[in-house]
């Protein structure tokens, strides 16, 4: 089977609520920073600045993107939880990925950020019940209502999706 290099673990597929899925997805949120840190271990500057696929982001951009994306996600979760069906703010991830901080700041800064952010995010959600997961926000770009259960699965997937980009390049290059 031919795997689309953009989707090494396939697209996000949501699941109905279950304790098992919840445990798994929460652990994905909790341990993503460790996973990202491991995925770039022993790579040099040149390797970090290699696109994970032709025309794709470099590993360096992918890691900074995870910090950008998950900061937005954290805010969306908090808004949905504390307001009645808020409309969230989309952002242009392609534009964010080429800003000056992404260009110049070393990856350990975004890894540290991810450690702190995911700790806050995990402890915010870890005891949610079904009512909590049922909080919704409106995503104006996708013109879609999303509840926090769907969003939890989405960001569990999103972290693994980008780590798989890094891992697939390492495998391909034998790094
Ligand atoms: Ni992404």
């Amino acid at each position: 089977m031919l795997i689309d290099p953009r989707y090494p673990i396939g697209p996000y597929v949501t699941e109905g609520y279950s304790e098992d899925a919840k445990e798994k997805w929460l652990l994905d949120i909790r341990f993503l920073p460790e996973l990202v840190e491991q995925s770039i271990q022993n790579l040099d500057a040149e390797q970090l600045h290699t696109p994970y696929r032709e025309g794709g982001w470099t590993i360096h951009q992918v890691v900074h993107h995870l910090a950008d994306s998950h900061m937005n996600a954290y805010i969306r979760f908090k808004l949905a939880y504390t307001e009645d069906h808020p409309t969230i703010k989309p952002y242009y991830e392609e534009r964010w990925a080429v800003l000056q901080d992404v260009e110049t700041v070393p990856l350990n800064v975004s890894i540290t950020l991810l450690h702190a952010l995911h700790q806050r995010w995990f402890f915010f959600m870890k005891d949610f019940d079904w009512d909590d997961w049922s909080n919704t926000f409106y995503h104006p770009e996708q013109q879609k209502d999303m509840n926090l259960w769907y969003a939890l699965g989405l960001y569990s997937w999103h972290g693994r999706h980008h780590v798989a980009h890094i891992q697939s390049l390492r495998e391909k290059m034998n790094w």
Side-chain angles (χ1 to χ4, degrees):
M1 195 179 81
L2 197 63
I3 293 177
D4 183 338
R6 289 170 306 168
Y7 291 94
I9 61 167
Y12 172 48
V13 180
T14 190
E15 276 179 41
Y17 181 81
S18 72
E19 288 294 314
D20 281 356
K22 183 185 75 174
E23 290 303 314
K24 187 182 161 299
W25 287 349
L26 282 173
L27 288 177
D28 285 339
I29 298 298
R30 182 163 194 179
F31 291 112
L32 178 74
E34 276 86 348
L35 201 60
V36 174
E37 200 171 347
Q38 284 166 17
S39 76
I40 61 164
Q41 241 166 30
N42 304 319
L43 294 180
D44 62 28
E46 197 185 326
Q47 291 167 325
L48 291 173
H49 285 91
T50 307
Y52 78 88
R53 64 171 171 88
E54 217 180 290
W57 283 338
T58 64
I59 294 178
H60 182 90
Q61 285 174 305
V62 166
V63 174
H64 281 312
H65 161 71
L66 280 169
D68 286 340
S69 166
H70 292 194
M71 283 190 281
N72 277 281
Y74 174 76
I75 298 293
R76 290 169 184 183
F77 270 69
K78 290 265 167 117
L79 291 173
Y81 195 80
T82 56
E83 298 178 21
D84 181 21
H85 192 52
T87 296
I88 55 89
K89 181 76 186 74
Y91 69 104
Y92 293 105
E93 61 179 28
E94 294 292 341
R95 297 181 193 171
W96 285 42
V98 293
L99 297 179
Q100 200 58 34
D101 58 334
V102 169
E103 181 110 345
T104 51
V105 172
L107 286 192
N108 63 323
V109 174
S110 272
I111 296 217
T112 301
L113 191 161
L114 283 167
H115 275 288
L117 178 69
H118 278 241
Q119 193 173 346
R120 290 285 306 272
W121 197 3
F122 173 78
F123 279 99
F124 163 57
M125 310 187 280
K126 79 179 192 48
D127 295 322
F128 273 16
D129 60 20
W130 176 244
D131 269 0
D132 299 317
W133 294 117
S134 304
N135 280 294
T136 55
F137 58 78
Y138 177 67
H139 196 305
E141 195 185 340
Q142 299 188 22
Q143 302 189 342
K144 201 153 112 179
D145 292 329
M146 290 182 193
N147 67 20
L148 292 185
W149 175 252
Y150 179 92
L152 173 67
L154 177 65
Y155 285 98
S156 143
W157 170 85
H158 183 252
R160 291 180 287 110
H161 164 71
H162 283 299
V163 167
H165 287 152
I166 299 168
Q167 289 166 340
S168 63
L169 178 66
R170 292 191 76 149
E171 272 166 35
K172 191 178 105 187
M173 306 295 271
N174 246 320
W175 290 343

